[in-house]
Structures are given as C-alpha cells and as structure tokens.
Amino acid sequence: MQIALRVAGVLLIIFGVMNLGAFSYLAGSDELRSPMMVGVRYSLMCAAGIGFLLLRKWGVVVFFGSVFINWIAYFVVYDGVGSLVPLWMTLPIPLAIAILSFLAWDKLEWR
C-alpha cells in the first residue's frame, strides 16, 4: 500500500507540475475563465502529491479538499459547462485514491 500511495503521489506531482507549466503559457489568455482557480487547483494537486509521497494523512485531506473545491468551482465558476469529458469519467481516480487511502490509513502519519 505504501508503494502505491507513493506512486500516486509522484503521479500527482508530475501532473500538477505539467499543468502549472502549461498554465504559465495560458495565463494571459482569454480562454481561461478563472486563472486563479487553475493555479489553486494544480498547486493543491502538487501539495497532495507531496503528502502522498511522504505518507502523510494531510495529503489525503488536501487531495479530497481540492476535489471538493474543484466540484464547487465547476458549478459556480464555470456554470456546469465546459467539461472536456462526461462528469462520470472524473470519478474513478478519486474513488481509487479513496480506496487506497482507506486501506493504508493506519500506515499514514499526521506530522
């Protein structure tokens, strides 16, 4: 379980850094409705990845907090439109991380 959490952490960090790098090219673009939300989303993803990599419970809290913030932003900031994929396709990864986190919760530390 610990190795799987660390792999998830590395993937979250890689994905977050790639998106933050792409965001730097689009920051002045009119295509983004909320540049601040994009920056927050991927910064939290990197922070959660660091938490998973270090096997910390706060990484799980940050991850699911960011998922919650993303869902709220999708409906409030983006008016529930503009998703590139159907919404049901956004559920498997958080569900997999929830199951993985639940199974490894005893092995994680808060500090």
Side-chain angles (χ1 to χ4, degrees), residues 61-91:
V61 173
V62 168
F63 179 79
F64 286 108
S66 71
V67 169
F68 182 70
I69 290 170
N70 284 333
W71 274 91
I72 289 174
Y74 177 71
F75 290 107
V76 173
V77 176
Y78 301 111
D79 298 325
V81 295
S83 178
L84 297 176
V85 297
L87 289 181
W88 68 268
M89 291 182 74
T90 63
L91 296 176

PDB file of all heavy atoms in Angstrom, residues 61-91:
ATOM      1  N   VAL A  61      -6.204  14.561   3.014  1.00  0.00           N
ATOM      2  CA  VAL A  61      -7.131  15.654   3.300  1.00  0.00           C
ATOM      3  C   VAL A  61      -7.020  16.741   2.236  1.00  0.00           C
ATOM      4  O   VAL A  61      -8.037  17.252   1.736  1.00  0.00           O
ATOM      5  CB  VAL A  61      -6.877  16.229   4.715  1.00  0.00           C
ATOM      6  CG1 VAL A  61      -7.709  17.462   4.963  1.00  0.00           C
ATOM      7  CG2 VAL A  61      -7.135  15.176   5.779  1.00  0.00           C
ATOM      8  N   VAL A  62      -5.801  17.091   1.850  1.00  0.00           N
ATOM      9  CA  VAL A  62      -5.605  18.114   0.813  1.00  0.00           C
ATOM     10  C   VAL A  62      -6.173  17.630  -0.518  1.00  0.00           C
ATOM     11  O   VAL A  62      -6.835  18.395  -1.234  1.00  0.00           O
ATOM     12  CB  VAL A  62      -4.105  18.482   0.672  1.00  0.00           C
ATOM     13  CG1 VAL A  62      -3.848  19.311  -0.572  1.00  0.00           C
ATOM     14  CG2 VAL A  62      -3.616  19.205   1.905  1.00  0.00           C
ATOM     15  N   PHE A  63      -5.947  16.370  -0.859  1.00  0.00           N
ATOM     16  CA  PHE A  63      -6.450  15.838  -2.125  1.00  0.00           C
ATOM     17  C   PHE A  63      -7.968  15.927  -2.187  1.00  0.00           C
ATOM     18  O   PHE A  63      -8.531  16.444  -3.153  1.00  0.00           O
ATOM     19  CB  PHE A  63      -5.997  14.393  -2.339  1.00  0.00           C
ATOM     20  CG  PHE A  63      -6.522  13.800  -3.617  1.00  0.00           C
ATOM     21  CD1 PHE A  63      -5.941  14.097  -4.825  1.00  0.00           C
ATOM     22  CD2 PHE A  63      -7.631  12.964  -3.595  1.00  0.00           C
ATOM     23  CE1 PHE A  63      -6.447  13.574  -6.004  1.00  0.00           C
ATOM     24  CE2 PHE A  63      -8.140  12.439  -4.767  1.00  0.00           C
ATOM     25  CZ  PHE A  63      -7.548  12.741  -5.974  1.00  0.00           C
ATOM     26  N   PHE A  64      -8.637  15.423  -1.165  1.00  0.00           N
ATOM     27  CA  PHE A  64     -10.100  15.428  -1.211  1.00  0.00           C
ATOM     28  C   PHE A  64     -10.673  16.817  -0.988  1.00  0.00           C
ATOM     29  O   PHE A  64     -11.759  17.117  -1.492  1.00  0.00           O
ATOM     30  CB  PHE A  64     -10.672  14.389  -0.246  1.00  0.00           C
ATOM     31  CG  PHE A  64     -10.476  13.002  -0.779  1.00  0.00           C
ATOM     32  CD1 PHE A  64      -9.560  12.148  -0.203  1.00  0.00           C
ATOM     33  CD2 PHE A  64     -11.166  12.566  -1.892  1.00  0.00           C
ATOM     34  CE1 PHE A  64      -9.350  10.888  -0.719  1.00  0.00           C
ATOM     35  CE2 PHE A  64     -10.968  11.311  -2.422  1.00  0.00           C
ATOM     36  CZ  PHE A  64     -10.058  10.466  -1.837  1.00  0.00           C
ATOM     37  N   GLY A  65      -9.954  17.677  -0.283  1.00  0.00           N
ATOM     38  CA  GLY A  65     -10.362  19.075  -0.203  1.00  0.00           C
ATOM     39  C   GLY A  65     -10.303  19.743  -1.563  1.00  0.00           C
ATOM     40  O   GLY A  65     -11.198  20.504  -1.944  1.00  0.00           O
ATOM     41  N   SER A  66      -9.255  19.437  -2.324  1.00  0.00           N
ATOM     42  CA  SER A  66      -9.134  20.031  -3.662  1.00  0.00           C
ATOM     43  C   SER A  66     -10.182  19.459  -4.611  1.00  0.00           C
ATOM     44  O   SER A  66     -10.694  20.180  -5.471  1.00  0.00           O
ATOM     45  CB  SER A  66      -7.727  19.829  -4.226  1.00  0.00           C
ATOM     46  OG  SER A  66      -7.501  18.492  -4.563  1.00  0.00           O
ATOM     47  N   VAL A  67     -10.513  18.182  -4.467  1.00  0.00           N
ATOM     48  CA  VAL A  67     -11.585  17.602  -5.294  1.00  0.00           C
ATOM     49  C   VAL A  67     -12.901  18.315  -4.986  1.00  0.00           C
ATOM     50  O   VAL A  67     -13.656  18.667  -5.896  1.00  0.00           O
ATOM     51  CB  VAL A  67     -11.706  16.075  -5.056  1.00  0.00           C
ATOM     52  CG1 VAL A  67     -12.971  15.519  -5.683  1.00  0.00           C
ATOM     53  CG2 VAL A  67     -10.487  15.353  -5.613  1.00  0.00           C
ATOM     54  N   PHE A  68     -13.168  18.548  -3.705  1.00  0.00           N
ATOM     55  CA  PHE A  68     -14.381  19.252  -3.298  1.00  0.00           C
ATOM     56  C   PHE A  68     -14.404  20.672  -3.861  1.00  0.00           C
ATOM     57  O   PHE A  68     -15.409  21.128  -4.415  1.00  0.00           O
ATOM     58  CB  PHE A  68     -14.466  19.260  -1.767  1.00  0.00           C
ATOM     59  CG  PHE A  68     -15.689  19.921  -1.222  1.00  0.00           C
ATOM     60  CD1 PHE A  68     -16.932  19.332  -1.361  1.00  0.00           C
ATOM     61  CD2 PHE A  68     -15.593  21.137  -0.569  1.00  0.00           C
ATOM     62  CE1 PHE A  68     -18.075  19.937  -0.867  1.00  0.00           C
ATOM     63  CE2 PHE A  68     -16.721  21.753  -0.067  1.00  0.00           C
ATOM     64  CZ  PHE A  68     -17.964  21.155  -0.218  1.00  0.00           C
ATOM     65  N   ILE A  69     -13.274  21.369  -3.756  1.00  0.00           N
ATOM     66  CA  ILE A  69     -13.179  22.726  -4.300  1.00  0.00           C
ATOM     67  C   ILE A  69     -13.380  22.721  -5.816  1.00  0.00           C
ATOM     68  O   ILE A  69     -14.045  23.593  -6.374  1.00  0.00           O
ATOM     69  CB  ILE A  69     -11.818  23.363  -3.935  1.00  0.00           C
ATOM     70  CG1 ILE A  69     -11.770  23.663  -2.443  1.00  0.00           C
ATOM     71  CG2 ILE A  69     -11.554  24.625  -4.744  1.00  0.00           C
ATOM     72  CD1 ILE A  69     -10.396  24.053  -1.946  1.00  0.00           C
ATOM     73  N   ASN A  70     -12.811  21.720  -6.497  1.00  0.00           N
ATOM     74  CA  ASN A  70     -12.961  21.639  -7.953  1.00  0.00           C
ATOM     75  C   ASN A  70     -14.417  21.452  -8.354  1.00  0.00           C
ATOM     76  O   ASN A  70     -14.878  22.041  -9.327  1.00  0.00           O
ATOM     77  CB  ASN A  70     -12.122  20.498  -8.517  1.00  0.00           C
ATOM     78  CG  ASN A  70     -10.663  20.834  -8.568  1.00  0.00           C
ATOM     79  OD1 ASN A  70     -10.295  21.991  -8.666  1.00  0.00           O
ATOM     80  ND2 ASN A  70      -9.831  19.822  -8.480  1.00  0.00           N
ATOM     81  N   TRP A  71     -15.142  20.602  -7.623  1.00  0.00           N
ATOM     82  CA  TRP A  71     -16.549  20.373  -7.952  1.00  0.00           C
ATOM     83  C   TRP A  71     -17.376  21.634  -7.705  1.00  0.00           C
ATOM     84  O   TRP A  71     -18.245  21.986  -8.494  1.00  0.00           O
ATOM     85  CB  TRP A  71     -17.105  19.194  -7.157  1.00  0.00           C
ATOM     86  CG  TRP A  71     -16.825  17.910  -7.850  1.00  0.00           C
ATOM     87  CD1 TRP A  71     -15.739  17.106  -7.684  1.00  0.00           C
ATOM     88  CD2 TRP A  71     -17.616  17.307  -8.868  1.00  0.00           C
ATOM     89  NE1 TRP A  71     -15.810  16.032  -8.531  1.00  0.00           N
ATOM     90  CE2 TRP A  71     -16.954  16.123  -9.260  1.00  0.00           C
ATOM     91  CE3 TRP A  71     -18.808  17.635  -9.477  1.00  0.00           C
ATOM     92  CZ2 TRP A  71     -17.469  15.296 -10.231  1.00  0.00           C
ATOM     93  CZ3 TRP A  71     -19.311  16.796 -10.447  1.00  0.00           C
ATOM     94  CH2 TRP A  71     -18.644  15.643 -10.818  1.00  0.00           C
ATOM     95  N   ILE A  72     -17.094  22.326  -6.617  1.00  0.00           N
ATOM     96  CA  ILE A  72     -17.806  23.574  -6.354  1.00  0.00           C
ATOM     97  C   ILE A  72     -17.495  24.594  -7.445  1.00  0.00           C
ATOM     98  O   ILE A  72     -18.390  25.255  -7.977  1.00  0.00           O
ATOM     99  CB  ILE A  72     -17.448  24.125  -4.964  1.00  0.00           C
ATOM    100  CG1 ILE A  72     -18.074  23.258  -3.886  1.00  0.00           C
ATOM    101  CG2 ILE A  72     -17.916  25.574  -4.812  1.00  0.00           C
ATOM    102  CD1 ILE A  72     -17.661  23.633  -2.486  1.00  0.00           C
ATOM    103  N   ALA A  73     -16.227  24.714  -7.797  1.00  0.00           N
ATOM    104  CA  ALA A  73     -15.830  25.676  -8.829  1.00  0.00           C
ATOM    105  C   ALA A  73     -16.445  25.319 -10.178  1.00  0.00           C
ATOM    106  O   ALA A  73     -16.819  26.212 -10.950  1.00  0.00           O
ATOM    107  CB  ALA A  73     -14.312  25.728  -8.955  1.00  0.00           C
ATOM    108  N   TYR A  74     -16.564  24.046 -10.471  1.00  0.00           N
ATOM    109  CA  TYR A  74     -17.141  23.633 -11.749  1.00  0.00           C
ATOM    110  C   TYR A  74     -18.562  24.166 -11.894  1.00  0.00           C
ATOM    111  O   TYR A  74     -18.949  24.641 -12.959  1.00  0.00           O
ATOM    112  CB  TYR A  74     -17.120  22.117 -11.887  1.00  0.00           C
ATOM    113  CG  TYR A  74     -17.776  21.630 -13.147  1.00  0.00           C
ATOM    114  CD1 TYR A  74     -17.171  21.825 -14.380  1.00  0.00           C
ATOM    115  CD2 TYR A  74     -19.015  21.014 -13.112  1.00  0.00           C
ATOM    116  CE1 TYR A  74     -17.781  21.395 -15.546  1.00  0.00           C
ATOM    117  CE2 TYR A  74     -19.634  20.583 -14.273  1.00  0.00           C
ATOM    118  CZ  TYR A  74     -19.009  20.783 -15.487  1.00  0.00           C
ATOM    119  OH  TYR A  74     -19.616  20.359 -16.638  1.00  0.00           O
ATOM    120  N   PHE A  75     -19.329  24.097 -10.818  1.00  0.00           N
ATOM    121  CA  PHE A  75     -20.716  24.538 -10.903  1.00  0.00           C
ATOM    122  C   PHE A  75     -20.888  26.033 -10.641  1.00  0.00           C
ATOM    123  O   PHE A  75     -21.793  26.651 -11.177  1.00  0.00           O
ATOM    124  CB  PHE A  75     -21.590  23.730  -9.943  1.00  0.00           C
ATOM    125  CG  PHE A  75     -21.741  22.302 -10.391  1.00  0.00           C
ATOM    126  CD1 PHE A  75     -21.091  21.293  -9.728  1.00  0.00           C
ATOM    127  CD2 PHE A  75     -22.507  21.993 -11.497  1.00  0.00           C
ATOM    128  CE1 PHE A  75     -21.209  19.981 -10.153  1.00  0.00           C
ATOM    129  CE2 PHE A  75     -22.636  20.688 -11.927  1.00  0.00           C
ATOM    130  CZ  PHE A  75     -21.986  19.673 -11.262  1.00  0.00           C
ATOM    131  N   VAL A  76     -20.013  26.637  -9.832  1.00  0.00           N
ATOM    132  CA  VAL A  76     -20.161  28.055  -9.503  1.00  0.00           C
ATOM    133  C   VAL A  76     -19.421  28.938 -10.512  1.00  0.00           C
ATOM    134  O   VAL A  76     -19.994  29.869 -11.066  1.00  0.00           O
ATOM    135  CB  VAL A  76     -19.666  28.331  -8.064  1.00  0.00           C
ATOM    136  CG1 VAL A  76     -19.655  29.816  -7.775  1.00  0.00           C
ATOM    137  CG2 VAL A  76     -20.529  27.595  -7.056  1.00  0.00           C
ATOM    138  N   VAL A  77     -18.148  28.658 -10.735  1.00  0.00           N
ATOM    139  CA  VAL A  77     -17.335  29.499 -11.621  1.00  0.00           C
ATOM    140  C   VAL A  77     -17.619  29.202 -13.090  1.00  0.00           C
ATOM    141  O   VAL A  77     -17.767  30.105 -13.898  1.00  0.00           O
ATOM    142  CB  VAL A  77     -15.826  29.305 -11.317  1.00  0.00           C
ATOM    143  CG1 VAL A  77     -14.970  30.088 -12.298  1.00  0.00           C
ATOM    144  CG2 VAL A  77     -15.526  29.711  -9.892  1.00  0.00           C
ATOM    145  N   TYR A  78     -17.714  27.919 -13.429  1.00  0.00           N
ATOM    146  CA  TYR A  78     -17.864  27.529 -14.825  1.00  0.00           C
ATOM    147  C   TYR A  78     -19.307  27.245 -15.227  1.00  0.00           C
ATOM    148  O   TYR A  78     -19.567  26.795 -16.337  1.00  0.00           O
ATOM    149  CB  TYR A  78     -16.989  26.315 -15.132  1.00  0.00           C
ATOM    150  CG  TYR A  78     -15.534  26.559 -14.868  1.00  0.00           C
ATOM    151  CD1 TYR A  78     -14.875  25.927 -13.818  1.00  0.00           C
ATOM    152  CD2 TYR A  78     -14.808  27.449 -15.643  1.00  0.00           C
ATOM    153  CE1 TYR A  78     -13.535  26.169 -13.570  1.00  0.00           C
ATOM    154  CE2 TYR A  78     -13.469  27.693 -15.404  1.00  0.00           C
ATOM    155  CZ  TYR A  78     -12.846  27.042 -14.362  1.00  0.00           C
ATOM    156  OH  TYR A  78     -11.520  27.279 -14.111  1.00  0.00           O
ATOM    157  N   ASP A  79     -20.254  27.433 -14.320  1.00  0.00           N
ATOM    158  CA  ASP A  79     -21.690  27.246 -14.590  1.00  0.00           C
ATOM    159  C   ASP A  79     -22.043  25.833 -15.043  1.00  0.00           C
ATOM    160  O   ASP A  79     -23.036  25.626 -15.742  1.00  0.00           O
ATOM    161  CB  ASP A  79     -22.187  28.247 -15.645  1.00  0.00           C
ATOM    162  CG  ASP A  79     -22.037  29.680 -15.186  1.00  0.00           C
ATOM    163  OD1 ASP A  79     -22.213  29.924 -13.973  1.00  0.00           O
ATOM    164  OD2 ASP A  79     -21.740  30.545 -16.030  1.00  0.00           O
ATOM    165  N   GLY A  80     -21.226  24.856 -14.689  1.00  0.00           N
ATOM    166  CA  GLY A  80     -21.520  23.471 -15.029  1.00  0.00           C
ATOM    167  C   GLY A  80     -21.354  23.132 -16.494  1.00  0.00           C
ATOM    168  O   GLY A  80     -21.867  22.115 -16.954  1.00  0.00           O
ATOM    169  N   VAL A  81     -20.647  23.963 -17.244  1.00  0.00           N
ATOM    170  CA  VAL A  81     -20.418  23.692 -18.665  1.00  0.00           C
ATOM    171  C   VAL A  81     -18.924  23.743 -18.954  1.00  0.00           C
ATOM    172  O   VAL A  81     -18.148  24.313 -18.203  1.00  0.00           O
ATOM    173  CB  VAL A  81     -21.141  24.711 -19.578  1.00  0.00           C
ATOM    174  CG1 VAL A  81     -22.633  24.595 -19.439  1.00  0.00           C
ATOM    175  CG2 VAL A  81     -20.688  26.118 -19.280  1.00  0.00           C
ATOM    176  N   GLY A  82     -18.545  23.146 -20.043  1.00  0.00           N
ATOM    177  CA  GLY A  82     -17.164  23.246 -20.476  1.00  0.00           C
ATOM    178  C   GLY A  82     -16.295  22.067 -20.102  1.00  0.00           C
ATOM    179  O   GLY A  82     -15.092  22.100 -20.318  1.00  0.00           O
ATOM    180  N   SER A  83     -16.862  21.009 -19.566  1.00  0.00           N
ATOM    181  CA  SER A  83     -16.061  19.840 -19.237  1.00  0.00           C
ATOM    182  C   SER A  83     -15.641  19.134 -20.522  1.00  0.00           C
ATOM    183  O   SER A  83     -16.444  18.974 -21.448  1.00  0.00           O
ATOM    184  CB  SER A  83     -16.869  18.885 -18.352  1.00  0.00           C
ATOM    185  OG  SER A  83     -16.112  17.739 -18.063  1.00  0.00           O
ATOM    186  N   LEU A  84     -14.400  18.718 -20.568  1.00  0.00           N
ATOM    187  CA  LEU A  84     -13.897  18.035 -21.766  1.00  0.00           C
ATOM    188  C   LEU A  84     -14.365  16.596 -21.852  1.00  0.00           C
ATOM    189  O   LEU A  84     -14.383  16.013 -22.919  1.00  0.00           O
ATOM    190  CB  LEU A  84     -12.369  18.082 -21.786  1.00  0.00           C
ATOM    191  CG  LEU A  84     -11.756  19.477 -21.884  1.00  0.00           C
ATOM    192  CD1 LEU A  84     -10.247  19.389 -21.801  1.00  0.00           C
ATOM    193  CD2 LEU A  84     -12.186  20.168 -23.163  1.00  0.00           C
ATOM    194  N   VAL A  85     -14.723  16.018 -20.713  1.00  0.00           N
ATOM    195  CA  VAL A  85     -15.187  14.633 -20.654  1.00  0.00           C
ATOM    196  C   VAL A  85     -16.502  14.603 -19.888  1.00  0.00           C
ATOM    197  O   VAL A  85     -16.809  15.523 -19.125  1.00  0.00           O
ATOM    198  CB  VAL A  85     -14.148  13.713 -19.966  1.00  0.00           C
ATOM    199  CG1 VAL A  85     -12.864  13.661 -20.760  1.00  0.00           C
ATOM    200  CG2 VAL A  85     -13.881  14.156 -18.549  1.00  0.00           C
ATOM    201  N   PRO A  86     -17.295  13.538 -20.046  1.00  0.00           N
ATOM    202  CA  PRO A  86     -18.502  13.422 -19.220  1.00  0.00           C
ATOM    203  C   PRO A  86     -18.122  13.382 -17.734  1.00  0.00           C
ATOM    204  O   PRO A  86     -17.064  12.868 -17.363  1.00  0.00           O
ATOM    205  CB  PRO A  86     -19.107  12.086 -19.662  1.00  0.00           C
ATOM    206  CG  PRO A  86     -18.537  11.824 -21.008  1.00  0.00           C
ATOM    207  CD  PRO A  86     -17.185  12.463 -21.028  1.00  0.00           C
ATOM    208  N   LEU A  87     -18.977  13.928 -16.893  1.00  0.00           N
ATOM    209  CA  LEU A  87     -18.643  14.053 -15.472  1.00  0.00           C
ATOM    210  C   LEU A  87     -18.400  12.718 -14.781  1.00  0.00           C
ATOM    211  O   LEU A  87     -17.607  12.635 -13.855  1.00  0.00           O
ATOM    212  CB  LEU A  87     -19.737  14.833 -14.741  1.00  0.00           C
ATOM    213  CG  LEU A  87     -19.797  16.302 -15.068  1.00  0.00           C
ATOM    214  CD1 LEU A  87     -20.903  16.973 -14.275  1.00  0.00           C
ATOM    215  CD2 LEU A  87     -18.477  16.981 -14.793  1.00  0.00           C
ATOM    216  N   TRP A  88     -19.064  11.649 -15.220  1.00  0.00           N
ATOM    217  CA  TRP A  88     -18.848  10.356 -14.577  1.00  0.00           C
ATOM    218  C   TRP A  88     -17.415   9.879 -14.757  1.00  0.00           C
ATOM    219  O   TRP A  88     -16.910   9.111 -13.944  1.00  0.00           O
ATOM    220  CB  TRP A  88     -19.838   9.306 -15.085  1.00  0.00           C
ATOM    221  CG  TRP A  88     -19.626   8.914 -16.514  1.00  0.00           C
ATOM    222  CD1 TRP A  88     -20.201   9.455 -17.613  1.00  0.00           C
ATOM    223  CD2 TRP A  88     -18.759   7.887 -16.985  1.00  0.00           C
ATOM    224  NE1 TRP A  88     -19.741   8.851 -18.745  1.00  0.00           N
ATOM    225  CE2 TRP A  88     -18.853   7.869 -18.395  1.00  0.00           C
ATOM    226  CE3 TRP A  88     -17.899   6.984 -16.370  1.00  0.00           C
ATOM    227  CZ2 TRP A  88     -18.131   6.986 -19.170  1.00  0.00           C
ATOM    228  CZ3 TRP A  88     -17.187   6.098 -17.153  1.00  0.00           C
ATOM    229  CH2 TRP A  88     -17.308   6.100 -18.544  1.00  0.00           C
ATOM    230  N   MET A  89     -16.718  10.364 -15.779  1.00  0.00           N
ATOM    231  CA  MET A  89     -15.334   9.945 -16.002  1.00  0.00           C
ATOM    232  C   MET A  89     -14.361  10.607 -15.031  1.00  0.00           C
ATOM    233  O   MET A  89     -13.206  10.224 -14.955  1.00  0.00           O
ATOM    234  CB  MET A  89     -14.919  10.239 -17.447  1.00  0.00           C
ATOM    235  CG  MET A  89     -15.629   9.359 -18.445  1.00  0.00           C
ATOM    236  SD  MET A  89     -15.105   9.658 -20.129  1.00  0.00           S
ATOM    237  CE  MET A  89     -13.500   8.890 -20.111  1.00  0.00           C
ATOM    238  N   THR A  90     -14.825  11.587 -14.264  1.00  0.00           N
ATOM    239  CA  THR A  90     -13.972  12.231 -13.276  1.00  0.00           C
ATOM    240  C   THR A  90     -14.011  11.510 -11.926  1.00  0.00           C
ATOM    241  O   THR A  90     -13.292  11.896 -11.019  1.00  0.00           O
ATOM    242  CB  THR A  90     -14.378  13.700 -13.066  1.00  0.00           C
ATOM    243  OG1 THR A  90     -15.716  13.756 -12.548  1.00  0.00           O
ATOM    244  CG2 THR A  90     -14.305  14.480 -14.361  1.00  0.00           C
ATOM    245  N   LEU A  91     -14.827  10.484 -11.799  1.00  0.00           N
ATOM    246  CA  LEU A  91     -14.973   9.785 -10.522  1.00  0.00           C
ATOM    247  C   LEU A  91     -13.995   8.638 -10.275  1.00  0.00           C
ATOM    248  O   LEU A  91     -13.634   8.398  -9.125  1.00  0.00           O
ATOM    249  CB  LEU A  91     -16.409   9.270 -10.374  1.00  0.00           C
ATOM    250  CG  LEU A  91     -17.472  10.359 -10.298  1.00  0.00           C
ATOM    251  CD1 LEU A  91     -18.853   9.733 -10.241  1.00  0.00           C
ATOM    252  CD2 LEU A  91     -17.240  11.259  -9.124  1.00  0.00           C
TER     253      LEU A  91
END
